[in-house]
Every structure is written in structure tokens, then in C-alpha cells.
Amino acid sequence: MGMTITEKILAKSAGRDRVTPGESVWLNVDVLMTHDVCGPPTIDIWKREFGPEAKIWDKEKLVIFPDHYIFTANSHANANVNKLRQFAAEYNLPNYYDVGTSRYKGVCHMALAEEGYNVPGTVLFGTDSHTCTSGAFGMFSTGVGNSDAAFILGTGKIWEKVPESMLFTFDGEIPPYLTAKDMILQIIGDITTDGATYRAMEFNGDGVMSLPISERMTLTNMAIEAGGMNGIIEADALTEAYVKARTSKPYEIFKSDPDAKYVAKYRYNLATMEPLVAKPHSPDNRDTVRNVQGTKLTKCYIGSCTGGKLEDFIFAARLLFGQTVKVPTFLVPASTWVDSQLDVETVNGVSLREIFQKAGCIMGESSCAACLGGPSDTFGRAQDQEVIISTTNRNFPGRMGSKKSSVYLASALTVAASALTGVITDPRDVM
Amino acid sequence: MEKIITGKAYVLGDKIDTDQIIPAEHLVYSLSDPEEKKKYGQYAMSGVPLNEAGLPEGKKPFINGDNWQSEYSIIIGGSNFGCGSSREHAPFAMQVAGVKAVIAETYARIFYRNCVDGGFLIPYESYEKVNNRIRTGDELEVDVKANLVKNLTTGETILLKPLGDVVSIIEAGDLFTYARQSGMLAG
């Protein structure tokens, strides 16, 4: 019996020839990532458990990005960042990216990719459920809590149950009115928010491999919204070029065997798919944009690790060019690099930033911002009974702030189309 | 590990995500500061929509007023309990509020691991849907050795799934104690 890409990577990490889904193995971790929400408690647990002489297993393999609650006057949130800062200084950590400095990067999942920490064939754990994003690079990546992270911090090891794999194949060329967000909302609607619990979600087919890296990251990012342990896409020439441009670390490319075992296989034809939304209050509450078009909005939001990447802003700029938005429209680049590219990338010869400014959009600083509510002064946070369409990845009750608000999840194309009309709008109607 | 857990049930619906268990705005407090820690208890379950808070009737707060401990110590959930974020603040908040165990049909992976590895509470799976058979306020007795829950209010007994592989970590108390006992960690 052959093995899937996930099984091969985990076998390598466990120092074994092969692993079998369902068995628990101890893995050697290549990178541990943490941030300002879960970093401080992880550090506390690590010190408590490993004592005053506690040693970090490998400082080069620990990466810390403040990104969640940083542009806020909330003193408790600021205390969290101070704690990371002191920790980084005390242990002379090479991979700390402090907010307020030129090293600051923005949302951790984007930053991991941009800074060369995503390397094919490796194993990455992070204290954030969307750590599965890095699987777009042909690697194993998943989220853990503070105790597991503290254990890794002290030992470099973690126990994991080897997941069964599910395969999602997309055939055909992606039409101009669809994005990776529509592809993943299709899947989550089909298998629901626990359809992939403790499973690997592998994506393939020419429809996936023809996507740019950032769009592939949208697929793997939202694997967790179906309960997935990890999302994964085999590395190809595009992946290699991206990785080589950012790191000289060695990498190993694994591919699933033709006779690898999958517990389920799904196949989609991109030509027949439609723009989709996830209606309040669950990412699997899928519907077509057509079925909910006309829903009156109070706010539009483009941002987050799943919907604030450069391609998302290019999608939006194409629709917003030369026009103005009808409802408050908040834009938050996922990373400082994406933010810098808003001045470089153009549509019809005009920079993305200028297009957004002329359209009347409100720009925020690169961070997680209102994707998950946060302190009351968080940029773009949901207020009261707002109805919001957003490129973020979750619409659980209260996720963006107010428990009374309703959030629709959609592609940047659908959000931009809706911003132009003030009601939920199919991008095909304004393209 | 307590072998018998007794307490009042607090019943919830399906897909209780970690934002409902502890909303993101409250994650700024320190988990190790004794005073700030109480905030987690105070805000535990504060994101659950009012009508779904304490089923079957709803509108029953998990925490009364400014208290940081709940009168309920056993949570009854539906499917995919703890989905969403990796925040270990979620089972931590439940523990601070006095929760000893959750009984649900299924769990999200990270929440389940966090309950076990952090030693916060016991996440029990039921064989079938139980959040329609138990009412908020029912007196329950969970027998951790026999894997069953007795509803002392109704007399009903419900069999729970054995804890499986993770039972040794739960019995040890948390992942670190387990690792020391099994020789993986020194000391």
C-alpha cells in the first residue's frame, strides 16, 4: 500500500519508514510558531514545567510574530507583547519580529511564508488553528494549544495521531469570477465543519496547481474550518521558486503514491461552480451568492490570513477601479509586504492603493485586526447588529466582535462587488 | 483525577466554538496572574447566544453577575464541541469557572488535545446525542472508571465512550506529568 504525502512527511519526522493512520507517533518538529495571544501563556507553562534553567530546544526553530492584538490601547494586550519582547531579549531569539520595528511582518501565517520558514517536506506546529495554511508548501503544518507548544519549546517533540487523508481534486481552469475562497467554501459546505476532524485534507488537480501560491494558501488556511488537522498541496516548480527566493534551507519534495489510501475523494469541475458565501453563523452554511443577493450590508471587510493577500487586493481593485463604495469598506493587508505591494501593483496603470483611496475604502495596518474581534478599539470590529460581508475565515456568533452582528464569508471579488452596491452582489454582475 | 464527578449540568447545542467559550476580546488577560486568571472564569461561555445558553429553555447564564465560578460543573454539548481557534484559554476558562468534564458527541481536535494535554477537564464522547436528554440544572454523577453518567434528577444512565489512548495522560494529570512518569522527560 502506498502512502499519502502527509503520511510520508510524518514518517520522516518520526524517524520511521512508514506510519499508519490512527497510530500515535512522536514527531520531531522543524519549526514552532507562536504569537502575542498564545505566546505568553506558552512561555509561562514552559518555565513552570522545565524550571528556572529551562532551555529552548532550538532557538533557530522558534519563530514569534506579534499580530493579533497589537494596534490597540488595551493595556493587557500591550502587556502580552511586552512579555514576548522581554522573552526574545532575554534569550536572544533570532526569529522575533517585533511590532513597531522594521522587522514587523503582519499576520503570522503570511509571514511564515514570506520569511522562508515554509519549506517542503518539513513539520511546522503553531499556536494558531490556521497554522494549517503552511501546508500549501508541501509540508505538514497544524495548530496546537499552549501546553503542546510549551512541550515542543522544551523538547522539540510532540505526540500526534497520524491522520487519515481526504482528497479534493479540482479539474479545469478557474473562471475569472471564482477564487480559491469559492473552492474551499464549496468543500466546507459539502463536508461540514467537522467533516475532516483529525484528517488531512489534500488538494490536487490542474485547477489547484494552476493557482498562484497565495491562492493555494487560501485552500489550506481554511482546512481547519472543516475540522481538518492539516491541509496540504504537493510542492511543484512554483513552490520551489517561491521557497528558493526566500531561504537556502534544504527541502525534500514528497508526493502521494498512486495507490495511497484516502477515506474519501471529492472531485469538482471549476467550469460549473458558482460564486459562494457562507451565511451566518457557520463557515459550512454555504449558499450561492445568487441566492442571497440583495441582502443589505452595513460594512465590507477585506483582510486576514485567508483573504488579505495580494491576489485578494488585485481581485478587489479590478472591480473597484474608477468607482466608489456604497458602504464603509475596510481593507487590512495581511502582511507589511502585501501592504508595500499596494503601491507597486497596478490595474489599468493605477496603483492598488490609489484605486482603493479613490473608491473611498478605509485602510488599516497589517495585522489580524477585526478577523477575530479583539479589544474594543480594534480596526473594523463589528458593532451591534451589523451585517458584514468579509473575506475572513470564520463567522461564528460574535467572531468579529458583536454577538448581534451577522457575517457572510466570501471571496474578495464578491466582497468588492458588494461594496459597490451596498448589497450582496454576484461579481459576474459588475465585471 | 477524580473518579466520581458530581455536579449540575449546563446544556449547550452543536458547534460550540472557542469564540463562544471565551470571546477574543478577553484573551488579553494573563493566565498565570492569580487575579487576571479569574477574568477567564467570569467570561467563560459569555459568547454563547442568549437563546442557546443553558438548554432546553435557554437564557440561563453560565456565570451569575460578576462571579468567576459557575454553579454548573458538567457541560453537555452536541457535535464538534470546541471547534475554531487553538486558544487553550477555552478549556482553561472552563476549568477556572469550575467545569470538571464535558460530555459531547464529537470534539474538534485542538480543543480536545488542549483539554487532555493541559489537564483542564475530561472531554467525554457519548455514543449518541445527549444534549436533548439532559436539561440544564439536572444533577449528574460521572463515573470515570465505568465510563457512564447517571442523571440523578431523572434516574437515567448513559454510557460514555472509553477515553481510549489519552486515558494515561488524563490519569497522570497532564502531558508533562505523563511524560515524566513514562521517562520521556527527566525529573
Side-chain angles (χ1 to χ4, degrees), chain A residues 403, chain B residues 19-23 25-26 42-49 62:
Chain A
K403 255 203 291 189
Chain B
D19 282 272
Q20 292 181 55
I21 296 170
I22 183 77
E25 65 190 289
H26 305 306
Q42 189 184 336
Y43 294 117
M45 300 299 172
S46 63
V48 178
F62 178 65

Side-chain angles (χ1 to χ4, degrees), chain A residues 44 49 146-148 160, chain B residues 19 32 88 109 113 117 180:
Chain A
D44 284 346
E49 295 295 334
N146 307 329
S147 294
D148 281 336
E160 273 294 359
Chain B
D19 282 272
S32 50
E88 196 165 294
R109 167 185 158 267
R113 278 186 76 98
D117 285 355
R180 276 189 209 98

Side-chain angles (χ1 to χ4, degrees), chain B residues 30-127:
Chain B
S30 166
L31 285 76
S32 50
D33 179 284
E35 279 309 305
E36 288 190 30
K37 177 179 166 176
K38 292 177 185 170
K39 297 277 188 190
Y40 286 99
Q42 189 184 336
Y43 294 117
M45 300 299 172
S46 63
V48 178
L50 199 58
N51 288 337
E52 294 157 46
L55 299 174
E57 291 87 5
K59 296 184 182 168
K60 284 189 183 142
F62 178 65
I63 297 280
N64 278 312
D66 292 334
N67 291 339
W68 55 279
Q69 293 200 292
S70 175
E71 61 181 297
Y72 308 103
S73 57
I74 300 167
I75 301 278
I76 307 297
S79 62
N80 208 12
F81 194 95
C83 58
S85 153
S86 68
R87 62 188 73 161
E88 196 165 294
H89 310 63
F92 177 82
M94 293 166 72
Q95 186 200 43
V96 172
V99 174
K100 300 279 179 64
V102 179
I103 299 167
E105 291 168 88
T106 56
Y107 293 87
R109 167 185 158 267
I110 307 178
F111 177 85
Y112 184 87
R113 278 186 76 98
N114 287 347
C115 289
V116 172
D117 285 355
F120 298 110
L121 49 92
I122 301 179
Y124 256 122
E125 281 186 312
S126 54
Y127 284 98

Side-chain angles (χ1 to χ4, degrees), chain A residues 87-370:
Chain A
F87 179 65
E90 184 184 351
Y91 289 88
N92 197 21
L93 299 182
N95 307 321
Y96 176 58
Y97 295 88
D98 205 358
V99 59
T101 74
S102 59
R103 282 173 64 77
Y104 175 65
K105 299 298 171 197
V107 184
C108 55
H109 313 296
M110 280 299 290
L112 282 169
E114 292 169 3
E115 295 302 302
Y117 294 105
N118 287 349
V119 178
T122 60
V123 171
L124 184 153
F125 282 81
T127 60
D128 189 291
S129 63
H130 293 109
T131 303
C132 52
T133 310
S134 297
F137 292 79
M139 59 193 285
F140 178 88
S141 61
T142 192
V144 289
N146 307 329
S147 294
D148 281 336
F151 195 91
I152 296 171
L153 194 56
T155 66
K157 292 180 188 299
I158 186 171
W159 72 272
E160 273 294 359
K161 194 164 77 176
V162 177
E164 296 177 308
S165 288
M166 302 173 83
L167 185 63
F168 302 90
T169 305
F170 286 87
D171 296 318
E173 193 181 337
I174 192 160
Y177 50 85
L178 292 182
T179 76
K181 180 57 74 69
D182 300 292
M183 294 161 71
I184 192 67
L185 288 178
Q186 175 75 41
I187 291 172
I188 299 166
D190 286 347
I191 70 172
T192 77
T193 57
D194 58 359
T197 299
Y198 238 121
R199 287 174 172 177
M201 295 175 73
E202 185 176 332
F203 306 95
N204 74 358
D206 53 351
V208 171
M209 302 320 288
S210 60
L211 294 175
I213 294 290
S214 78
E215 282 282 273
R216 296 183 193 181
M217 288 168 72
T218 300
L219 292 180
T220 51
N221 175 280
M222 288 186 67
I224 185 66
E225 308 319 332
M229 181 181 187
N230 66 313
I232 196 160
I233 298 169
E234 288 180 0
D236 64 0
L238 194 64
T239 323
E240 286 195 78
Y242 187 103
V243 171
K244 277 181 180 163
R246 288 161 181 82
T247 181
S248 54
K249 284 179 201 149
Y251 58 85
E252 190 173 358
I253 291 181
F254 292 94
K255 291 183 185 298
S256 294
D257 293 321
D259 61 341
K261 190 181 173 199
Y262 294 92
V263 284
K265 289 183 180 181
Y266 289 79
R267 192 151 207 145
Y268 299 98
N269 177 359
L270 282 164
T272 61
M273 283 175 51
E274 285 202 59
L276 299 171
V277 293
K279 297 184 288 190
H281 297 282
S282 183
D284 64 354
N285 195 11
R286 181 196 63 207
D287 209 336
T288 60
V289 177
R290 282 271 181 255
N291 279 344
V292 295
Q293 64 187 2
T295 303
K296 201 164 165 20
L297 298 165
T298 61
K299 186 187 278 182
C300 296
Y301 189 96
I302 297 178
S304 87
C305 54
T306 196
K309 299 189 281 290
L310 185 57
E311 266 73 16
D312 298 300
F313 290 106
I314 294 172
F315 287 134
R318 286 181 189 147
L319 293 193
L320 297 178
F321 179 84
Q323 305 205 62
T324 50
V325 298
K326 294 281 197 305
V327 285
T329 299
F330 293 80
L331 309 185
V332 186
S335 70
T336 53
W337 178 81
V338 172
D339 188 58
S340 72
Q341 294 306 298
L342 298 183
D343 297 310
V344 176
E345 286 288 332
T346 59
V347 169
N348 302 333
V350 182
S351 78
L352 302 190
R353 195 182 308 278
E354 198 178 334
I355 292 169
F356 297 141
Q357 282 167 347
K358 285 189 172 159
C361 300
I362 308 157
M363 302 291 301
E365 294 185 84
S366 305
S367 65
C368 298

